[in-house]
Amino acid sequence: GRAMSFINPVAFLALLLIPAALVVRHFWRQRRGRNGVPHPNVALIAAAATKPRARRYLPLALVALAVAALTFALARPEVYRDEPRERATIMLAVDVSGSMAAEDVQPYRLRAAQDAALAFAESVPRAYQLGLVSFSGEASVLLPPTTDRAAFGRAVESLVPDGATAIGDAVTVSLEAIRATQGVGADPNSELEAARILLLSDGSSTTGVPVGAAADEAQRAGVPVFTVALGTLDGVLDNGQRVPPDVPALRNLAEATGGDAFESRDAESVSAVYERLGSFIGTERVLSEVTAWPAGIAAGLLLFAGLAAWRLSPRVG
């Protein structure tokens, strides 16, 4: 969206008062100059003449700036801000396929993911519901969305690597769990409120629902999928099988649903990604009115204009 907008932009017409006031002042000074001063006070004129010409216009300039700031406030500016969500549902879908036993991420991929998930649960507000889906050859809900962090921790600790990879199933099962929590029903076209899926995987989808179809369903439901590709290109299992992460596939899933894609090549970066997601998922962009600060600036400028006029006014005696 736009960086700034205005509720009452017509107020900017008030800025025309500034040049109008300057024109009136100019003609008034000219007329007074033609009429002359009946009984000039020579001392007063001498005092005024000692003031640098530019400084005499400082109070007027400050008043003009104050009027501009006040006009800006009257236009009621709005800006987009990231504010904490009051509530949200986050499904954490964790790949528990056999390749998650690879030790290229210490101590091994799944353990690093588990530790980061536990830290993630502590970083998001307690009012948020967290659920857990594990997926390998098929996906299953280990924990429906709940605010019970202890239950979430126990579910995370129960994860064990074994089997194939069904990423599409993980997305659709996560959506079903969110629908059940929000009481929306089974309609795949119904939009879900303040819901996110955080999917962590290290491989290509090898079975189950096609990832493209699952992405379409998530997009229709208005649920972004944030993906984390875990592991390195050199990852191998104990039997020598290479298990590099499928980064492009996970990025495509995230982009198709309006989410973001991340890569984590070590335990530290896994934790960093979860930390970033905690702050991102926990906020929403809202349009907020910011009238107070230009009004405050206008008041300050008027105060300085008064002080400047007092300091620069000619004094006699």
Side-chain angles (χ1 to χ4, degrees):
R2 294 169 295 174
M4 180 176 289
S5 58
F6 298 91
I7 297 175
N8 185 32
V10 73
F12 283 114
L13 292 174
L15 289 175
L16 297 175
L17 293 175
I18 297 176
L22 292 175
V23 170
V24 169
R25 180 179 182 274
H26 173 72
F27 283 110
W28 177 77
R29 287 173 64 88
Q30 277 196 334
R31 181 181 178 188
R32 190 177 66 167
R34 284 197 302 269
N35 292 339
V37 181
H39 301 286
N41 186 325
V42 177
L44 184 64
I45 294 173
T50 62
K51 301 294 181 183
R53 187 173 181 85
R55 290 174 60 189
R56 287 165 43 200
Y57 292 100
L58 180 59
L60 182 62
L62 289 172
V63 169
L65 289 173
V67 171
L70 185 59
T71 301
F72 195 82
L74 291 174
R76 299 177 64 188
E78 294 180 310
V79 296
Y80 282 97
R81 289 176 173 170
D82 290 328
E83 295 188 354
R85 293 182 183 275
E86 293 184 2
R87 62 186 184 86
T89 303
I90 302 169
M91 290 300 300
L92 182 63
V94 179
D95 186 344
V96 292
S97 59
S99 57
M100 290 291 282
E103 297 178 358
D104 54 338
V105 179
Q106 296 297 318
Y108 57 95
R109 291 178 179 181
L110 181 57
R111 184 65 255 176
Q114 288 172 292
D115 291 341
L118 296 175
F120 174 75
E122 294 302 318
S123 71
V124 297
R126 290 283 172 177
Y128 291 9
Q129 292 187 313
L130 295 182
L132 183 66
V133 166
S134 68
F135 65 98
S136 52
E138 58 184 21
S140 58
V141 178
L142 295 187
L143 183 73
T146 178
T147 57
D148 188 340
R149 295 295 188 262
F152 181 81
R154 290 192 296 271
V156 168
E157 292 292 356
S158 71
L159 298 173
V160 176
D162 181 46
T165 306
I167 292 176
D169 286 10
V171 174
T172 56
V173 168
S174 295
L175 290 171
E176 290 170 4
I178 297 170
R179 287 194 185 95
T181 299
Q182 296 190 4
V184 173
D187 181 6
N189 295 312
S190 57
E191 191 161 331
L192 301 170
E193 297 180 5
R196 301 287 187 271
I197 295 173
L198 174 53
L199 185 143
L200 191 146
S201 179
D202 69 346
S204 302
S205 188
T206 57
T207 185
V209 175
V211 176
D216 289 342
E217 184 177 343
Q219 194 272 334
R220 289 195 302 270
V223 180
V225 180
F226 295 83
T227 63
V228 180
L230 182 62
T232 67
L233 295 176
D234 300 325
V236 293
L237 298 177
D238 290 342
N239 60 8
Q241 179 185 350
R242 294 185 68 252
V243 283
D246 190 345
V247 175
L250 292 174
R251 183 185 299 116
N252 290 339
L253 171 59
E255 291 177 352
T257 60
D260 280 338
F262 301 91
E263 297 178 47
S264 293
R265 298 179 176 84
D266 52 52
E268 184 176 340
S269 64
V270 174
S271 298
V273 164
Y274 273 72
E275 187 174 329
R276 287 178 61 191
L277 287 168
S279 60
F280 183 83
I281 292 174
T283 61
E284 59 184 335
R285 290 185 65 77
V286 297
L287 199 57
S288 303
E289 191 172 339
V290 286
T291 304
W293 63 265
I297 291 174
L301 287 169
L302 286 174
L303 176 62
F304 283 121
L307 289 173
W310 174 72
R311 290 285 298 169
L312 298 176
S313 61
R315 292 174 175 79
V316 181

